[in-house]
Amino acid sequence: MLTYFFLTAGGTEATRHFAFENQFATALVSFITNETSKEFVQAIEDTNLYYISQNDFYHLLQIIPQWEKLYRHYLEYAYVTNTNRLMSFITLDATERYRQLLAQNPGMVMRMPNKMVASYLNISQETLSRLKSKA
């Protein structure tokens, strides 16, 4: 399992995303722009990683039509996931975000340390503990 996070101005981790078994994962902005990533990707469980350079990836797009379909699917998935996450921060309170996470991915809440789940939900660990006790 991987976690994606940024560091805030105060130096705390702000979790953006988790990638679970058999999921394609990348620091997409850095990959597309070919610039140094502002986000960190960290394995939080034993993980086998495979990687590909940007040049090799784009070469495969040119020679394998199915590769382009995979890429398009991943870009669409990333867009929908990020938009839904942003929308949850704008339209839902902490309780609703926690309930939504439990409904969509209960394994995340069970497997992840509270610190990471709280960071993902943009709430304190204390708030997460209160929400868990009510659930």
Side-chain angles (χ1 to χ4, degrees), residues 94-127:
T95 301
E96 293 168 323
R97 287 195 311 274
Y98 177 69
R99 287 183 182 150
Q100 184 180 64
L101 179 60
L102 274 177
Q104 292 173 346
N105 198 340
M108 181 188 300
V109 177
M110 303 307 249
R111 288 173 65 181
M112 307 301 302
N114 279 349
K115 178 181 178 181
M116 289 183 178
V117 174
S119 174
Y120 180 77
L121 293 170
N122 197 30
I123 60 176
S124 69
Q125 290 184 63
E126 294 78 16
T127 299

Side-chain angles (χ1 to χ4, degrees), residues 68-82:
E68 187 169 356
K69 185 177 180 182
L70 169 79
Y71 187 45
R72 186 176 65 247
H73 174 75
Y74 180 73
L75 291 175
E76 290 170 353
Y77 170 80
Y79 179 79
V80 169
T81 299
N82 288 329

